[in-house]
Amino acid sequence: MVTTSSLNLVFTPTKPTPLSWKHSFPSPFTTANCTHRQNRKAYRFVVFATLLADPKPTVLVAEKLGKAGLELLKTFANVDCSYNLSPEELCTKISLCDALIVRSGTKVTREVFERSGGRLKVVGRAGVGIDNVDLSAATEHGCLVVNAPTANTIAAAEHGIALLTAMARNIAQADASIKAGKWQRSKYVGVSLLGKTLAVIGFGKVGSEVARRAKGLGMHVIAHDPYAPADRARAIGVDLLTFEEAILIADFISLHMPLTPATSKIFNDQAFSRMKKGVRIVNVARGGVIDEEALVRALDSGIVSQAALDVFTKEPPPKDSRLVLHENVTVTPHLGASTTEAQEGVAIEVAEAVIGALKGELAATAVNAPMVPAEVLAELAPFVTLSEKLGRLAVQLVAGGSGVQSVKVTYASARGPDDLDTRLLRAMITKGLIEPITSVFINLVNADFTAKQRGLRITEERFLLDGSPENPLEFIQIQIANVESKFATAISDSGEIKVEGRVKDGKPHLTKVGSFGVDVSLEGSLILCRQVDQPGMIGSVGNILGEENVNVSFMSVGRIAPRKQAVMTIGVDEEPSKEALKRIGEIPAIEEFVFLKL
Ligand SMILES: NC(=O)C1=CN([C@@H]2O[C@H](COP(=O)(O)OP(=O)(O)OC[C@H]3O[C@@H](n4cnc5c(N)ncnc54)[C@H](O)[C@@H]3O)[C@@H](O)[C@H]2O)C=CC1
Ligand SMILES: O=C(O)C(=O)COP(=O)(O)O
């Protein structure tokens, strides 16, 4: 059985380069119980060679990470903990690393991916916000980004509540005052939270937990989140309002949305001008969602009476920041996730995701790749292999010089479109189509990007079959339009190169080439011959290969009618010499043939 963990979906290139950890498995989809003799040999060789070099991947931990996470990483990788690297030092080190783990303090820029020279396979963010990672650059470089989205939720929510209550009662200012030798009881009279309206902006994991706690403090909680489900809000007893409505009526506003182009500086002069005079603001999200100069103006004018900020546009903020030094502002140095419990939690969460990703598994916390549940992955596993092999086969049938631009994929299934997630299959078809003809390494992360960049348009079609939807798919068909083929038989009646495959007994099979039905297991390499159907053909070809010591793993013949044209498919374990192929071509009944590597 193919298990999800044996499907190396993300990182291992098809063309192995010995002596480098990242290339230590011969094929992205080679399974541990692979029965193919040559693959096994290659596997042993590459693993042996890599063991001689360095058996473990290298993980650079660029910011402080919880001990349990570090221990976990060390069971699998060489761990280099180098904190406070300058951008240049990071760029220099990165070419020696397979994975990088950061928190919010490290900018993972395009240059980092470029300078990694293709070695960096995964960036792990030990926390939620990934605004410090250039996701487009990661995707373009086929580098997976994973985060740790759940383990610091409570810590961030508790910090939000801590800032809210501390701000309302002037705790930080009063503390500083008393330590400065003063006793200013009337200066630090606060405001009560009971009965006040709190607007939670960003009603996700942290926002919902803040809302729950604020309700416990007797506050009236409203929220704004364009994507939050209404039933979640209802369950907590929170009204979801528009941004305008929420900021208009709030006494307190607490920010919990991610920093994105849409949320950048969403709290600007215009937004502040619409708020209730004397509003109080808490920001445990990201500094960049507030226009900080506008906030200083709003504080000076009294529109905003107080702010409590854990995050800043630039961290650390300049020493002379007017915002930080403002007497009505309480600040903490990005401590939202900084509890012992949260740091152990995110460290384990990110270490597990990074290790899984380095093994080639799809991480459940992947940020820039489709997330496919494990059970779906297990079911699709043989079709994933089939998809890549069909892609590899189809592109090798294209005559040299013709550019592949338009590919149509048809999935025949008795399942409705909602029950069949084809993103994984499309990515692997793309991998199969592109890798044999370029030096580009394709994985689930960069497949769509690379196809687009190369002007390769892949359209997908469903062919709904009657019958039981027990199997996810019946067959997959790939058609390449507007190209010549080096094996004319592969051109279908409608003029495209056409190949079709099915999964039989868990193994990928080629079942159609052009208009000819065939049936061969997609393993090793293939010779396809079109011939006049006549006795002795299998023997003639078999003899030539035997004399050349090429092991034939199978042969099959598909024909239109007896003694008419037929397509013979021959599976071979070794690559035949040019001379052997020439001799096959010279057999009089053979009209054309092609050798294909899978
Ligand atoms: N200060 C700190 O140490 C910490 C800060 N954070 C920050 O808090 C943010 C939220 O974290 P989680 O709740 O775990 O993430 P989440 O993804 O569960 O929630 C974010 C919510 O924001 C909503 N959202 C997106 N665009 C919005 C918009 N334009 N207006 C309003 N809402 C919008 C989303 O729909 C989502 O429901 C993170 O992105 C991170 O930047 C998170 C943890 C610790
Ligand atoms: O998880 C987040 O988004 C955070 O902001 C936490 O940041 P940190 O890991 O403490 O640098």
Side-chain angles (χ1 to χ4, degrees):
M1 195 187 106
V2 183
T3 64
T4 49
S5 62
S6 68
L7 264 186
N8 200 324
L9 287 168
V10 196
F11 299 123
T12 313
T14 311
K15 303 157 198 159
T17 309
L19 301 179
S20 147
W21 179 85
K22 68 193 157 123
H23 298 306
S24 65
F25 305 95
S27 148
F29 305 116
T30 300
T31 58
N33 55 359
C34 170
T35 53
H36 194 281
R37 193 157 49 92
Q38 204 179 20
N39 257 2
R40 276 224 306 260
K41 247 200 250 162
Y43 179 86
R44 276 192 223 115
F45 166 73
V46 178
V47 169
F48 178 66
T50 51
L51 280 172
L52 282 180
D54 190 348
K56 286 178 167 183
T58 296
V59 179
L60 172 60
V61 178
E63 288 180 74
K64 196 160 174 6
L65 193 68
K67 197 162 160 256
L70 282 177
E71 294 306 320
L72 200 58
L73 286 170
K74 283 177 191 162
T75 61
F76 181 76
N78 297 315
V79 180
D80 172 359
C81 291
S82 295
Y83 308 147
N84 304 316
L85 292 173
S86 69
E88 184 48 38
E89 285 166 337
L90 175 61
C91 285
T92 305
K93 251 184 187 289
I94 205 69
S95 63
L96 303 172
C97 303
D98 303 286
L100 167 66
I101 294 183
V102 297
R103 290 176 56 188
S104 62
T106 306
K107 296 257 177 290
V108 190
T109 59
R110 178 169 288 276
E111 197 184 351
V112 173
F113 295 103
E114 283 168 1
R115 298 270 295 271
S116 93
R119 178 156 174 182
L120 184 64
K121 294 301 171 207
V122 53
V123 173
R125 169 34 173 134
V128 186
I130 30 87
D131 44 283
N132 52 325
V133 180
D134 187 333
L135 277 188
S136 311
T139 303
E140 288 168 30
H141 287 80
C143 181
L144 188 71
V145 179
V146 294
N147 69 351
T150 59
N152 69 19
T153 302
I154 298 301
E158 287 177 351
H159 198 64
I161 294 291
L163 285 177
L164 180 80
T165 50
M167 173 176 68
R169 302 305 295 269
N170 303 304
I171 301 290
Q173 292 85 345
D175 176 73
S177 152
I178 202 167
K179 283 179 176 146
K182 298 176 191 160
W183 187 254
Q184 299 174 292
R185 297 186 64 212
S186 54
K187 182 168 181 189
Y188 294 120
V189 172
V191 290
S192 177
L193 300 178
L194 184 71
K196 299 284 165 47
T197 297
L198 169 71
V200 172
I201 311 294
F203 196 66
K205 294 184 293 296
V206 178
S208 323
E209 292 301 331
V210 165
R212 265 186 237 280
R213 284 157 179 74
K215 283 186 81 73
L217 296 171
M219 299 188 84
H220 170 231
V221 184
I222 56 173
H224 165 70
D225 187 326
Y227 315 108
D231 53 351
R232 171 148 38 98
R234 253 196 314 275
I236 301 179
V238 169
D239 291 331
L240 277 178
L241 305 178
T242 65
F243 183 69
E244 298 292 325
E245 288 166 345
I247 62 170
L248 188 72
I249 58 173
D251 301 303
F252 290 80
I253 299 177
S254 193
L255 312 186
H256 302 289
M257 71 286 230
L259 176 61
T260 64
T263 61
S264 173
K265 295 193 178 172
I266 195 170
F267 287 86
N268 48 27
D269 285 313
Q270 199 189 24
F272 290 126
S273 70
R274 299 207 177 119
M275 293 177 189
K276 204 189 241 187
K277 191 162 167 53
V279 65
R280 291 173 165 83
I281 295 180
V282 176
N283 188 6
V284 186
R286 282 292 177 272
V289 303
I290 295 180
D291 176 341
E292 292 179 340
E293 288 176 11
L295 177 55
V296 171
R297 286 190 285 275
L299 283 158
D300 286 345
S301 70
I303 293 180
V304 175
S305 62
Q306 285 185 301
L309 311 171
D310 182 47
V311 283
F312 306 89
T313 304
K314 187 172 181 306
E315 294 184 359
K319 287 203 168 65
D320 60 351
S321 159
R322 282 196 60 210
L323 184 62
V324 172
L325 298 176
H326 202 287
E327 64 167 341
N328 295 335
V329 174
T330 303
V331 286
T332 49
H334 202 145
L335 291 181
S338 294
T339 62
T340 313
E341 296 84 353
Q343 281 314 305
E344 282 303 298
V346 291
I348 294 170
E349 203 175 2
V350 82
E352 283 173 348
V354 165
I355 292 170
L358 285 173
K359 287 179 180 168
E361 296 163 12
L362 259 193
T365 56
V367 176
N368 62 344
M371 277 185 255
V372 184
E375 59 282 9
V376 176
L377 204 53
E379 196 184 35
L380 283 183
F383 297 96
V384 168
T385 314
L386 173 66
S387 299
E388 190 193 349
K389 298 230 170 182
L390 281 179
R392 296 181 77 80
L393 196 124
V395 79
Q396 289 179 73
L397 289 169
V398 176
S402 9
V404 177
Q405 289 190 325
S406 176
V407 174
K408 186 165 104 182
V409 181
T410 306
Y411 305 100
S413 169
R415 292 200 184 163
D418 289 346
D419 287 338
L420 183 64
D421 186 344
T422 60
R423 291 171 303 172
L424 197 55
L425 306 177
R426 188 183 65 235
M428 291 305 124
I429 289 169
T430 309
K431 181 179 176 71
L433 287 168
I434 296 179
E435 279 194 352
I437 53 168
T438 63
S439 56
V440 180
F441 160 54
I442 311 283
N443 64 11
L444 202 53
V445 176
N446 66 356
D448 285 348
F449 168 81
T450 312
K452 204 165 157 203
Q453 198 192 32
R454 298 181 60 85
L456 171 62
R457 202 165 61 89
I458 301 181
T459 51
E460 292 176 287
E461 230 175 52
R462 301 294 174 90
F463 184 61
L464 193 60
L465 298 169
D466 292 336
S468 143
E470 206 177 294
N471 285 329
L473 279 156
E474 225 20 75
F475 64 82
I476 300 175
Q477 190 184 81
I478 297 182
Q479 285 172 270
I480 306 182
N482 308 321
V483 288
E484 310 262 304
S485 177
K486 58 171 88 144
F487 186 63
T489 313
I491 303 278
S492 68
D493 298 340
S494 49
E496 299 93 9
I497 289 182
K498 181 158 101 182
V499 291
E500 190 178 292
R502 292 168 191 255
V503 170
K504 295 187 175 184
D505 298 327
K507 294 260 163 43
H509 276 237
L510 177 68
T511 50
K512 204 172 229 182
V513 176
S515 304
F516 282 84
V518 297
D519 189 3
V520 291
S521 169
L522 286 168
E523 289 179 82
S525 300
L526 278 186
I527 299 171
L528 296 181
C529 308
R530 188 188 65 214
Q531 68 199 50
V532 179
D533 181 37
Q534 56 180 242
M537 288 304 296
I538 292 181
S540 307
V541 177
N543 278 345
I544 295 172
L545 293 171
E547 282 162 24
E548 292 276 336
N549 203 23
V550 173
N551 195 41
V552 173
S553 50
F554 52 79
M555 275 189 170
S556 93
V557 179
R559 59 188 185 177
I560 307 172
R563 309 268 168 173
K564 295 242 160 82
Q565 280 180 322
V567 168
M568 178 160 56
T569 39
I570 305 154
V572 287
D573 289 342
E574 293 87 19
E575 182 170 347
S577 66
K578 282 210 177 87
E579 181 53 30
L581 292 173
K582 186 163 163 273
R583 285 176 63 199
I584 291 172
E586 283 166 359
I587 298 173
I590 289 192
E591 294 170 343
E592 62 167 352
F593 77 100
V594 66
F595 172 72
L596 307 165
K597 282 188 191 170
L598 293 175

